[in-house]
Amino acid sequence: MYYELYIDVLFLMNFMMDSLLLLAVKKVMNCPVSNGRVFLGSAAGAALTCLVLACPLPSALKLLAGYVGISSIMVRTGLNLRWGKPFWKAFVLLYVAAFFMGGILQVLRPWIRAGSIFFAAAAAAYYLLCGIWRCMLRQGRRQSQICEVTLHIGEKAFQVLALVDTGNGLTDPLSGEPVSVIDPGCAEQILGEEKESVKIRYIPYRTVGGEGVMPVFRVGQMEVSLEKEGEKFQAQRPLIGICEGNVSEQEDYQMILNPDILISQ
């Protein structure tokens, strides 16, 4: 039995699926690579897949090349990861993502009748996969803990202790960005001479005790160090709200960190 295989269609389909899988792994591992590099790795994987299928190789060799060789090149090229623990973690996550995405597409299979619908379904599966990961990450990290936070404004850096609090769901009504809250004394120290040049605006907030408005401003960058997970996160131009009084009665910390800031990057 013979099948007609259009190499251009095969390349495009593999390129699209490889791109979605690598983008998902990039988001999960928070890899600092550009989307252009991800697409380069996807193109390399798609091209090698076409080459392996076109060459008259033994089936065992094709399986080895497809499941190990091509995937390794995709991770190495697309995510810029060298051999080691991060590389193998990304390698495993690539197949985990492929397993979940394949399952989602299998569920949608009865409604897929054309190539364009398949592409749309694959894109929908990617966003659904990212949404599932986002929920899992939120549940895993939304546990109250005190961590070190470094705020950068201008050329200065300020270190404060922050409580990652699930109760802080404050967001900017205009942009929907998470807002972390800081003591007024710390805010005064951080703003300092920059106070005149920093744009401060007000957003509404609601607590158990009532409603009001809170001044918020942006810092250049915020670095969060989580000791329990041994991870560090960076947020570019996050929003910081200024509380009316101390955020901690015992002054154990000076900031209440919105946990969504850890998964919004």
Side-chain angles (χ1 to χ4, degrees), residues 18-28 35 38-39 126:
D18 291 346
S19 298
L20 294 176
L21 292 174
L22 282 178
L23 286 172
V25 176
K26 173 192 171 184
K27 182 179 288 291
V28 170
N35 289 340
V38 171
F39 295 144
Y126 163 76

Side-chain angles (χ1 to χ4, degrees), residues 144-150 159-165 180-182 222-226 247 252-258:
S144 295
Q145 59 173 302
I146 296 178
C147 59
E148 292 185 356
V149 173
T150 304
Q159 287 188 341
V160 298
L161 293 178
L163 175 72
V164 184
D165 185 16
S180 300
V181 182
I182 199 169
M222 177 167 66
E223 299 172 357
V224 183
S225 300
L226 299 177
V247 295
D252 296 331
Y253 48 89
Q254 302 81 42
M255 184 178 187
I256 297 180
L257 193 69
N258 190 320

Side-chain angles (χ1 to χ4, degrees), residues 3 12 16-17 36 45 59 80 98 105 113 119 135 140 147 163-164 167 174 178 197 206 208 212 214 247 249 257 263:
Y3 296 94
L12 288 174
M16 182 200 67
M17 295 301 298
S59 299
N80 194 27
L105 289 175
R113 292 290 184 271
F119 293 148
C135 292
C147 59
L163 175 72
V164 184
L174 294 179
S197 58
R206 178 181 299 176
V208 184
M214 177 181 293
V247 295
E249 294 181 0
L257 193 69
I263 54 177

Side-chain angles (χ1 to χ4, degrees), residues 12 47 53 55 63 75 97 106 132 155-156 186 225 241 246:
L12 288 174
L53 289 177
C55 293
L63 286 175
V75 172
Q106 187 67 27
I132 294 173
E155 297 181 354
K156 298 180 180 180
C186 286
S225 300
N246 292 339

Side-chain angles (χ1 to χ4, degrees), residues 142 165-172 176-181 206 256-260:
R142 277 195 164 186
D165 185 16
T166 60
N168 178 18
L170 182 62
T171 57
D172 179 11
E177 298 175 70
V179 178
S180 300
V181 182
R206 178 181 299 176
I256 297 180
L257 193 69
N258 190 320
D260 286 340

